[in-house]
Amino acid sequence: MTGEAGHSASDRAAAPLREFAVAVYGAEGVSEACLALQDEHGQDVNVVLFAAWAGAELGRRLGAEDVARARGHVAEWRDAVVAPLRAVRRAMKRLSSPPPGHEELRSAVKAVELQSELLQLAMLDGFAQTLGAPAPPGPELAEANLRAVVAGSPESASAAVSVIVAACRGRADASGAGS
């Protein structure tokens, strides 16, 4: 998740969620925590970041039904586009004897994968409009939302949630310091 030039209208439409996702994902330990939730617990990183954003910035509390609706809202796109691109990129990384030019192609696949994830964030940004009335936003609400996302996961998911919440807290502290 990087800020490249030449964003499409879909990228700009997801600017608040995208900006939050890029900032939080880039915080210390968050990318590893998100990938652990994805690879070890079957979580969708974009839904995880959306849940944190909804609580930390929008003040929206997500219950189990909201999480299920968010997942359903992006399921077709994730399953048909994002996940297959990730699988191709990862398969290319594991090749024992890749052909010349392999890294350039893998980089191109990675860029397309990132673009597909940004489009998924735009979908989730639009979905946020269907959520209930806001409460006071903050890291505590982000944590409650993340716990709703990982409900039913092993206790090891809790450590990843704590890392993401710490990044939300750091973001809130930094924006409060600038006020």
Side-chain angles (χ1 to χ4, degrees), residues 77-163:
W77 180 256
R78 181 194 59 244
D79 295 346
V81 179
V82 178
L85 286 167
R86 181 179 306 119
V88 167
R89 178 182 53 81
R90 286 180 169 182
M92 291 177 76
K93 188 175 184 176
R94 292 187 304 267
L95 293 174
S96 60
S97 299
H102 160 267
E103 275 306 316
E104 292 82 9
L105 179 59
R106 186 173 174 277
S107 292
V109 171
K110 185 176 182 178
V112 173
E113 179 190 0
L114 173 61
Q115 185 64 32
S116 73
E117 290 176 334
L118 295 173
L119 290 172
Q120 184 179 347
L121 284 174
M123 295 171 70
L124 289 165
D125 187 74
F127 174 77
Q129 306 309 311
T130 70
L131 299 173
E140 296 76 18
L141 192 51
E143 181 173 13
N145 288 352
L146 289 167
R147 300 243 176 251
V149 170
V150 301
S153 293
E155 185 58 33
S156 58
S158 186
V161 165
S162 295
V163 170

Side-chain angles (χ1 to χ4, degrees), residues 24 27-30 52 139-140 142-143 146 158-174:
V24 169
E28 185 177 341
V30 173
E140 296 76 18
E143 181 173 13
L146 289 167
S158 186
V161 165
S162 295
V163 170
I164 298 165
V165 170
C168 292
R169 188 164 283 111
R171 184 173 162 84
D173 292 346

Side-chain angles (χ1 to χ4, degrees), residues 20 38 49 143:
F20 174 89
Q38 174 182 280
L49 293 170
E143 181 173 13

